Amino acid sequence: MSLPDDHLHDEWKSTPTFGDVSFRHLVEGSGDCIFVSRDMRIIYMNPAGLRLLKATDPASVLGHSPLEFFHPGVHEEIHQRVAQLMEHPTSVPQNREPMVTVTGEVVPTDVTASSFPFGDGLAILVTCRDATARARTEEELQASEERYRLLFTNNPHPMMVHDTDSFKFLAVNQATVHRYGWSEREFLDGMTIFDIRPAEDVERLRNDSRHHRFGRELFGLWRHRTRSGELLDVEIVSDSIEWEGRSARLVLAHDVTERRKLEAQQLRTQRMESIGTLAGGIAHDLNNVLAPILMGVEMLKMDAANPRELATLETIEASARRGAGLVRQVLSFTRGVEGLRVPVRVEQVMAEVVSLIRQTFDRSITLEVEQPDVLWPVNGDATQLHRVLLNLAVNARDAMPGGGILRLQAANLTKDRVPERGGDGPENFVVLTVSDTGTGIPRALQEQIFDPFFTTKEVGKGTGLGLATVQAVVESHGGHINLYSEEGKGSVFRIYLPALTAAGEIAPPTTPPALPRGNGELILVVDDESAILLITCHTLEVFGYRVVVAANGAEAVAIFSERRTEIALVLTDMMMPIMDGVATIKALRTIDPTIRIIAASGLSANGSVAKAASMGITDFLAKPYTVEEMVRLVAKLLGHPDAGL
């Protein structure tokens, strides 16, 4: 191909010189693509340009329109820039333009252009630099920024960057904004890391920050504060970084608030299990101590004629029963003792508690009572419910040392009005409320007040069993208890008990018939406690039975083997050394599968009792049992018509 306008080309060849080097030599030695265009035709292109466009023959470039070597998508922009350059000698800023080689490949280039006088008009000098490597670097940078957004901005855990000198926030992700409550702008407008810490932790944070300015540090467990004042338990991991030329730290905060709550609940459960094991052993021993006292007092009362002696015996009996009640109180939150379950009139329980409060509480306590004329009956133990109300009332009194108002309220509620009690479950509830105007309970302690042996009272003024027992009794009745309290404003305890029915009468208690007597039947009594053996033997003999005793299971089996045709019934303890109750019952049943057996235990939830039940034993006496309970059960098993059971 011949070059058009050869005089223009020749004129271009007549380039000025700079010292000993012509300008043309400088252009042709450049590594960038440089070409000259006039009237939208290329009149010169240096060797680097030919290489960029992969042109082996200059004729494939010279004389052609520059637009042939640019992507069609930028032609309109090029026309506009050419018009600008041809209007008067000037230059245009660098632009990223995709060039097209003679083989059809697209090459990203950074393009600059300027116009200059040439002949009788203007020409355009264009410099194109291959931007392939730079474009790749930019793509990698963009990918890196996308990864940053993924790892920082979109991280589900709160992440933040703060200056190591001023401690001001330099960046926060969306998880931080969402969890802490401040907007991103608020964080970045002067807030520091001290603004998200409780005041009492700030000094420790300052000290740690001075010692750990550089390098990666696992700061462990800290507390953070949200905008609403909520305290979060967080595990902090931080690393020193450079942020926009400044020394900074990147911090990741792992919120472990819920996990720590679960851990606390697990620890409480383990603590309860340990206390239950300990209390169970103590209860067994105490019940063995109390059993002969109660039966002995009852036997003595039968023969007492002197009123003063009778009064003394009743005092002893009341003290022993109180001791038995304390044992049951311990077991009620460690072993889930159920107690007697019969229809109970709650208004009668309320009336007894109200009467006791009015007789014993200080006059500085004003009692207010509010309840309907008729409350729905509940299935439960009246004694336990009485103790629940009285415990709460005493706690309320103690919270008002200077006097105040104690309110006892009761109401019938349907389940749609009971908090968190929708769906399946009881339809009707009786709610009992005990409230006071006392000192209130600090929020930090409200999760602990139902723990056994936890008390805020002075040493000697509280056992820490009251509220633990209250919760255990309420839950054993199928109910639940709620607390609302504010410091300085008092406390409100609400107990929700499933109601039996919305109406109905509870039959009044009937006087039990006289205690039945035996007809000389022989009874084998087995117990490792000599006091229990003595009083049980004496009691049964008084009521017309013959008795043979054994101090352990092995001795009992030996006696039964010799006299099995005479022995009509066996009363055996379940917890004994050498041979326990389960093994004893199994051996006795092997000798005589039809032998009548009563199992006695101081632990109603003990595993040996359950094993005895699985062996077909259906008759039990819970220590400490009374004379009446024992005599009537013996009479029932022996078929006496006046057993009364």
Side-chain angles (χ1 to χ4, degrees), residues 493-505:
F493 288 87
R494 287 192 175 89
I495 298 168
Y496 298 87
L497 299 173
L500 280 177
T501 178
E505 294 295 327

Side-chain angles (χ1 to χ4, degrees), residues 321-333:
R321 291 187 183 279
R322 183 182 178 189
L326 289 174
V327 172
R328 287 193 298 271
Q329 183 172 332
V330 172
L331 291 176
S332 65
F333 65 83

Side-chain angles (χ1 to χ4, degrees), residues 346-347 349-358 361 365-372 375 385-386 388-397 400 405-411 431-436 491-495:
V346 181
E347 60 265 32
V349 176
M350 284 275 291
E352 293 173 4
V353 173
V354 167
S355 175
L356 188 58
I357 290 174
R358 285 178 173 157
F361 279 25
I365 303 295
T366 301
L367 177 63
E368 296 181 357
V369 181
E370 181 182 336
Q371 68 179 80
L375 286 169
L385 295 178
H386 183 281
V388 163
L389 287 175
L390 190 57
N391 264 330
L392 293 177
V394 169
N395 283 348
R397 178 202 64 188
M400 299 182 289
I405 299 175
L406 168 62
R407 294 186 181 90
L408 294 184
Q409 299 168 291
V431 58
L432 305 176
T433 304
V434 180
S435 59
D436 63 71
S491 303
V492 179
F493 288 87
R494 287 192 175 89
I495 298 168

Side-chain angles (χ1 to χ4, degrees), residues 571-592:
L571 170 56
T572 180
D573 186 27
M574 295 305 297
M575 295 183 66
M576 297 181 293
I578 302 176
M579 188 174 185
D580 66 6
V582 173
T584 301
I585 292 172
K586 186 175 182 180
L588 295 177
R589 282 285 170 86
T590 301
I591 299 171
D592 183 358

Side-chain angles (χ1 to χ4, degrees), residues 100-164:
V100 181
T101 68
V102 295
T103 59
E105 298 176 44
V106 178
V107 180
T109 58
D110 292 329
V111 180
T112 57
S114 61
S115 60
F116 62 93
F118 188 80
D120 58 354
L122 294 174
I124 298 176
L125 177 66
V126 181
T127 301
C128 305
R129 174 167 293 175
D130 188 346
T132 302
R134 183 175 177 182
R136 185 179 301 112
T137 300
E138 291 174 350
E139 290 176 358
E140 292 174 353
L141 179 61
Q142 182 179 0
S144 176
E145 291 175 348
E146 290 176 354
R147 288 193 296 270
Y148 161 78
R149 284 192 293 272
L150 176 65
L151 297 176
F152 183 85
T153 306
N154 300 322
N155 196 298
H157 296 295
M159 295 185 70
M160 53 203 81
V161 178
H162 71 82
D163 186 273
T164 55

